[in-house]
Amino acid sequence: MFYAILAEDLPGALEKRLAARPAHVARLNALKDEGRLLLAGPHPLIDSEDPGPAGFSGSLIVAEFASREAAIAWASEDPYALAGVYAQVTVKPFKRVLP
């Protein structure tokens, strides 16, 4: 089943986010290579594709896991979580309808 991982950044976490980004993207690419990643990306703090120093308010990942517990475990090992970027992470089942 798919699960949505909704993460909210701590205020002022942009430097930590940028430092942890290569490892974070590598993990996402591993999910993609396994055919389990539906989508992933950050939420810019401002209405811009590149928010610059404004940074991001969080991230959304939708990927396939065996269970909610497995998705939670995966999210807890995310480099952003380990680096202290996230204030909160919520994992919810996700039912893909379209496209």
mmCIF file of all heavy atoms in Angstrom, residues 14-44:
data_model
loop_
_atom_site.group_PDB
_atom_site.id
_atom_site.type_symbol
_atom_site.label_atom_id
_atom_site.label_comp_id
_atom_site.label_asym_id
_atom_site.label_seq_id
_atom_site.Cartn_x
_atom_site.Cartn_y
_atom_site.Cartn_z
ATOM 1 N N LEU A 14 16.961 25.423 7.318
ATOM 2 C CA LEU A 14 17.432 25.355 5.932
ATOM 3 C C LEU A 14 18.874 24.851 5.823
ATOM 4 O O LEU A 14 19.171 24.015 4.967
ATOM 5 C CB LEU A 14 17.288 26.710 5.237
ATOM 6 C CG LEU A 14 17.708 26.746 3.765
ATOM 7 C CD1 LEU A 14 16.897 25.741 2.942
ATOM 8 C CD2 LEU A 14 17.553 28.149 3.202
ATOM 9 N N GLU A 15 19.779 25.328 6.658
ATOM 10 C CA GLU A 15 21.181 24.876 6.570
ATOM 11 C C GLU A 15 21.288 23.380 6.824
ATOM 12 O O GLU A 15 22.014 22.679 6.105
ATOM 13 C CB GLU A 15 22.049 25.642 7.561
ATOM 14 C CG GLU A 15 22.404 27.041 7.090
ATOM 15 C CD GLU A 15 23.425 27.712 8.007
ATOM 16 O OE1 GLU A 15 24.324 27.020 8.524
ATOM 17 O OE2 GLU A 15 23.295 28.931 8.189
ATOM 18 N N LYS A 16 20.583 22.877 7.813
ATOM 19 C CA LYS A 16 20.589 21.438 8.089
ATOM 20 C C LYS A 16 19.996 20.668 6.922
ATOM 21 O O LYS A 16 20.483 19.607 6.541
ATOM 22 C CB LYS A 16 19.791 21.136 9.363
ATOM 23 C CG LYS A 16 20.446 21.605 10.627
ATOM 24 C CD LYS A 16 19.577 21.288 11.820
ATOM 25 C CE LYS A 16 20.191 21.790 13.107
ATOM 26 N NZ LYS A 16 19.333 21.497 14.263
ATOM 27 N N ARG A 17 18.923 21.201 6.339
ATOM 28 C CA ARG A 17 18.274 20.572 5.185
ATOM 29 C C ARG A 17 19.249 20.467 4.020
ATOM 30 O O ARG A 17 19.384 19.404 3.392
ATOM 31 C CB ARG A 17 17.030 21.372 4.784
ATOM 32 C CG ARG A 17 16.321 20.846 3.542
ATOM 33 C CD ARG A 17 15.150 21.745 3.186
ATOM 34 N NE ARG A 17 13.919 21.292 3.811
ATOM 35 C CZ ARG A 17 13.129 20.362 3.287
ATOM 36 N NH1 ARG A 17 13.433 19.779 2.146
ATOM 37 N NH2 ARG A 17 12.008 20.024 3.895
ATOM 38 N N LEU A 18 19.930 21.567 3.716
ATOM 39 C CA LEU A 18 20.867 21.570 2.587
ATOM 40 C C LEU A 18 22.023 20.606 2.820
ATOM 41 O O LEU A 18 22.460 19.920 1.893
ATOM 42 C CB LEU A 18 21.371 22.990 2.334
ATOM 43 C CG LEU A 18 20.311 23.993 1.866
ATOM 44 C CD1 LEU A 18 20.904 25.398 1.780
ATOM 45 C CD2 LEU A 18 19.697 23.574 0.538
ATOM 46 N N ALA A 19 22.514 20.522 4.046
ATOM 47 C CA ALA A 19 23.622 19.616 4.352
ATOM 48 C C ALA A 19 23.215 18.148 4.215
ATOM 49 O O ALA A 19 24.002 17.315 3.762
ATOM 50 C CB ALA A 19 24.147 19.891 5.761
ATOM 51 N N ALA A 20 21.986 17.822 4.599
ATOM 52 C CA ALA A 20 21.516 16.436 4.565
ATOM 53 C C ALA A 20 20.900 16.039 3.223
ATOM 54 O O ALA A 20 20.601 14.861 3.004
ATOM 55 C CB ALA A 20 20.501 16.209 5.678
ATOM 56 N N ARG A 21 20.725 16.995 2.315
ATOM 57 C CA ARG A 21 20.002 16.741 1.066
ATOM 58 C C ARG A 21 20.592 15.604 0.226
ATOM 59 O O ARG A 21 19.839 14.751 -0.267
ATOM 60 C CB ARG A 21 19.895 18.014 0.234
ATOM 61 C CG ARG A 21 19.006 17.825 -0.988
ATOM 62 C CD ARG A 21 18.765 19.138 -1.741
ATOM 63 N NE ARG A 21 17.755 18.970 -2.755
ATOM 64 C CZ ARG A 21 17.972 18.450 -3.961
ATOM 65 N NH1 ARG A 21 19.194 18.055 -4.294
ATOM 66 N NH2 ARG A 21 16.982 18.316 -4.819
ATOM 67 N N PRO A 22 21.915 15.534 -0.006
ATOM 68 C CA PRO A 22 22.414 14.432 -0.849
ATOM 69 C C PRO A 22 22.034 13.046 -0.320
ATOM 70 O O PRO A 22 21.618 12.180 -1.091
ATOM 71 C CB PRO A 22 23.929 14.657 -0.851
ATOM 72 C CG PRO A 22 24.087 16.129 -0.617
ATOM 73 C CD PRO A 22 22.976 16.475 0.344
ATOM 74 N N ALA A 23 22.140 12.831 0.980
ATOM 75 C CA ALA A 23 21.786 11.531 1.549
ATOM 76 C C ALA A 23 20.274 11.291 1.466
ATOM 77 O O ALA A 23 19.826 10.167 1.206
ATOM 78 C CB ALA A 23 22.261 11.451 3.000
ATOM 79 N N HIS A 24 19.490 12.350 1.673
ATOM 80 C CA HIS A 24 18.030 12.256 1.576
ATOM 81 C C HIS A 24 17.622 11.851 0.149
ATOM 82 O O HIS A 24 16.823 10.926 -0.034
ATOM 83 C CB HIS A 24 17.433 13.606 1.963
ATOM 84 C CG HIS A 24 15.966 13.742 1.715
ATOM 85 N ND1 HIS A 24 15.010 13.179 2.543
ATOM 86 C CD2 HIS A 24 15.286 14.402 0.751
ATOM 87 C CE1 HIS A 24 13.804 13.487 2.081
ATOM 88 N NE2 HIS A 24 13.945 14.221 0.997
ATOM 89 N N VAL A 25 18.188 12.516 -0.838
ATOM 90 C CA VAL A 25 17.852 12.220 -2.236
ATOM 91 C C VAL A 25 18.317 10.818 -2.621
ATOM 92 O O VAL A 25 17.612 10.107 -3.361
ATOM 93 C CB VAL A 25 18.431 13.303 -3.176
ATOM 94 C CG1 VAL A 25 18.284 12.907 -4.637
ATOM 95 C CG2 VAL A 25 17.747 14.648 -2.919
ATOM 96 N N ALA A 26 19.448 10.378 -2.099
ATOM 97 C CA ALA A 26 19.930 9.023 -2.396
ATOM 98 C C ALA A 26 18.933 7.976 -1.902
ATOM 99 O O ALA A 26 18.658 6.991 -2.603
ATOM 100 C CB ALA A 26 21.300 8.802 -1.755
ATOM 101 N N ARG A 27 18.363 8.190 -0.724
ATOM 102 C CA ARG A 27 17.356 7.253 -0.204
ATOM 103 C C ARG A 27 16.093 7.263 -1.055
ATOM 104 O O ARG A 27 15.484 6.220 -1.286
ATOM 105 C CB ARG A 27 16.987 7.611 1.231
ATOM 106 C CG ARG A 27 17.895 6.942 2.228
ATOM 107 C CD ARG A 27 17.503 7.288 3.648
ATOM 108 N NE ARG A 27 16.847 6.133 4.248
ATOM 109 C CZ ARG A 27 15.694 6.169 4.870
ATOM 110 N NH1 ARG A 27 15.035 7.279 5.012
ATOM 111 N NH2 ARG A 27 15.178 5.077 5.395
ATOM 112 N N LEU A 28 15.691 8.445 -1.502
ATOM 113 C CA LEU A 28 14.522 8.525 -2.378
ATOM 114 C C LEU A 28 14.793 7.820 -3.701
ATOM 115 O O LEU A 28 13.915 7.132 -4.238
ATOM 116 C CB LEU A 28 14.128 9.978 -2.620
ATOM 117 C CG LEU A 28 13.583 10.728 -1.402
ATOM 118 C CD1 LEU A 28 13.392 12.199 -1.741
ATOM 119 C CD2 LEU A 28 12.291 10.107 -0.919
ATOM 120 N N ASN A 29 16.002 7.994 -4.232
ATOM 121 C CA ASN A 29 16.351 7.312 -5.476
ATOM 122 C C ASN A 29 16.344 5.797 -5.306
ATOM 123 O O ASN A 29 15.974 5.066 -6.234
ATOM 124 C CB ASN A 29 17.696 7.801 -6.003
ATOM 125 C CG ASN A 29 17.553 9.090 -6.777
ATOM 126 O OD1 ASN A 29 16.595 9.287 -7.508
ATOM 127 N ND2 ASN A 29 18.510 9.985 -6.620
ATOM 128 N N ALA A 30 16.706 5.306 -4.138
ATOM 129 C CA ALA A 30 16.640 3.867 -3.880
ATOM 130 C C ALA A 30 15.187 3.381 -3.942
ATOM 131 O O ALA A 30 14.904 2.341 -4.541
ATOM 132 C CB ALA A 30 17.266 3.536 -2.528
ATOM 133 N N LEU A 31 14.271 4.150 -3.344
ATOM 134 C CA LEU A 31 12.842 3.800 -3.454
ATOM 135 C C LEU A 31 12.380 3.821 -4.904
ATOM 136 O O LEU A 31 11.636 2.939 -5.347
ATOM 137 C CB LEU A 31 11.984 4.781 -2.645
ATOM 138 C CG LEU A 31 11.918 4.635 -1.139
ATOM 139 C CD1 LEU A 31 11.042 5.742 -0.546
ATOM 140 C CD2 LEU A 31 11.384 3.274 -0.732
ATOM 141 N N LYS A 32 12.832 4.841 -5.636
ATOM 142 C CA LYS A 32 12.460 4.954 -7.051
ATOM 143 C C LYS A 32 12.972 3.750 -7.839
ATOM 144 O O LYS A 32 12.243 3.151 -8.636
ATOM 145 C CB LYS A 32 13.010 6.242 -7.643
ATOM 146 C CG LYS A 32 12.579 6.486 -9.082
ATOM 147 C CD LYS A 32 13.195 7.745 -9.617
ATOM 148 C CE LYS A 32 14.463 7.346 -10.301
ATOM 149 N NZ LYS A 32 15.218 8.357 -10.952
ATOM 150 N N ASP A 33 14.224 3.372 -7.598
ATOM 151 C CA ASP A 33 14.817 2.238 -8.313
ATOM 152 C C ASP A 33 14.101 0.925 -8.002
ATOM 153 O O ASP A 33 14.070 0.017 -8.832
ATOM 154 C CB ASP A 33 16.304 2.116 -7.975
ATOM 155 C CG ASP A 33 17.124 3.274 -8.517
ATOM 156 O OD1 ASP A 33 16.623 4.038 -9.384
ATOM 157 O OD2 ASP A 33 18.283 3.439 -8.060
ATOM 158 N N GLU A 34 13.502 0.844 -6.817
ATOM 159 C CA GLU A 34 12.736 -0.335 -6.426
ATOM 160 C C GLU A 34 11.301 -0.284 -6.957
ATOM 161 O O GLU A 34 10.519 -1.205 -6.732
ATOM 162 C CB GLU A 34 12.702 -0.458 -4.898
ATOM 163 C CG GLU A 34 14.057 -0.723 -4.284
ATOM 164 C CD GLU A 34 14.064 -0.557 -2.772
ATOM 165 O OE1 GLU A 34 12.979 -0.349 -2.170
ATOM 166 O OE2 GLU A 34 15.152 -0.626 -2.179
ATOM 167 N N GLY A 35 10.932 0.823 -7.633
ATOM 168 C CA GLY A 35 9.579 0.976 -8.167
ATOM 169 C C GLY A 35 8.544 1.300 -7.101
ATOM 170 O O GLY A 35 7.351 1.095 -7.319
ATOM 171 N N ARG A 36 8.973 1.840 -5.938
ATOM 172 C CA ARG A 36 8.058 2.084 -4.819
ATOM 173 C C ARG A 36 7.732 3.554 -4.604
ATOM 174 O O ARG A 36 6.870 3.875 -3.788
ATOM 175 C CB ARG A 36 8.676 1.510 -3.546
ATOM 176 C CG ARG A 36 8.850 0.007 -3.616
ATOM 177 C CD ARG A 36 9.653 -0.569 -2.458
ATOM 178 N NE ARG A 36 9.280 -0.009 -1.186
ATOM 179 C CZ ARG A 36 10.105 0.047 -0.142
ATOM 180 N NH1 ARG A 36 11.334 -0.404 -0.216
ATOM 181 N NH2 ARG A 36 9.691 0.564 1.000
ATOM 182 N N LEU A 37 8.397 4.463 -5.301
ATOM 183 C CA LEU A 37 8.189 5.891 -5.085
ATOM 184 C C LEU A 37 7.156 6.436 -6.058
ATOM 185 O O LEU A 37 7.314 6.321 -7.272
ATOM 186 C CB LEU A 37 9.508 6.651 -5.244
ATOM 187 C CG LEU A 37 9.449 8.148 -4.980
ATOM 188 C CD1 LEU A 37 9.131 8.427 -3.520
ATOM 189 C CD2 LEU A 37 10.776 8.799 -5.360
ATOM 190 N N LEU A 38 6.091 7.015 -5.529
ATOM 191 C CA LEU A 38 5.069 7.645 -6.362
ATOM 192 C C LEU A 38 5.417 9.102 -6.617
ATOM 193 O O LEU A 38 5.372 9.568 -7.744
ATOM 194 C CB LEU A 38 3.694 7.528 -5.701
ATOM 195 C CG LEU A 38 2.509 8.034 -6.497
ATOM 196 C CD1 LEU A 38 2.359 7.278 -7.810
ATOM 197 C CD2 LEU A 38 1.238 7.912 -5.677
ATOM 198 N N LEU A 39 5.787 9.828 -5.559
ATOM 199 C CA LEU A 39 6.215 11.225 -5.706
ATOM 200 C C LEU A 39 6.924 11.671 -4.446
ATOM 201 O O LEU A 39 6.767 11.083 -3.382
ATOM 202 C CB LEU A 39 5.033 12.157 -5.998
ATOM 203 C CG LEU A 39 3.941 12.313 -4.962
ATOM 204 C CD1 LEU A 39 4.270 13.446 -4.002
ATOM 205 C CD2 LEU A 39 2.620 12.599 -5.632
ATOM 206 N N ALA A 40 7.721 12.721 -4.582
ATOM 207 C CA ALA A 40 8.427 13.294 -3.439
ATOM 208 C C ALA A 40 8.827 14.717 -3.772
ATOM 209 O O ALA A 40 9.147 15.026 -4.927
ATOM 210 C CB ALA A 40 9.669 12.475 -3.102
ATOM 211 N N GLY A 41 8.791 15.573 -2.764
ATOM 212 C CA GLY A 41 9.248 16.939 -2.965
ATOM 213 C C GLY A 41 9.002 17.798 -1.740
ATOM 214 O O GLY A 41 8.262 17.416 -0.841
ATOM 215 N N PRO A 42 9.654 18.959 -1.731
ATOM 216 C CA PRO A 42 9.510 19.873 -0.600
ATOM 217 C C PRO A 42 8.365 20.857 -0.795
ATOM 218 O O PRO A 42 7.853 21.032 -1.908
ATOM 219 C CB PRO A 42 10.845 20.614 -0.603
ATOM 220 C CG PRO A 42 11.185 20.706 -2.057
ATOM 221 C CD PRO A 42 10.691 19.414 -2.665
ATOM 222 N N HIS A 43 7.998 21.503 0.300
ATOM 223 C CA HIS A 43 7.001 22.572 0.289
ATOM 224 C C HIS A 43 7.748 23.898 0.469
ATOM 225 O O HIS A 43 8.189 24.196 1.586
ATOM 226 C CB HIS A 43 5.990 22.407 1.427
ATOM 227 C CG HIS A 43 5.224 21.131 1.383
ATOM 228 N ND1 HIS A 43 4.201 20.908 0.499
ATOM 229 C CD2 HIS A 43 5.341 19.998 2.111
ATOM 230 C CE1 HIS A 43 3.705 19.703 0.702
ATOM 231 N NE2 HIS A 43 4.390 19.128 1.664
ATOM 232 N N PRO A 44 7.913 24.696 -0.598
ATOM 233 C CA PRO A 44 8.573 25.994 -0.433
ATOM 234 C C PRO A 44 7.779 26.885 0.534
ATOM 235 O O PRO A 44 6.553 26.854 0.553
ATOM 236 C CB PRO A 44 8.573 26.589 -1.841
ATOM 237 C CG PRO A 44 8.431 25.410 -2.748
ATOM 238 C CD PRO A 44 7.574 24.435 -1.997
#
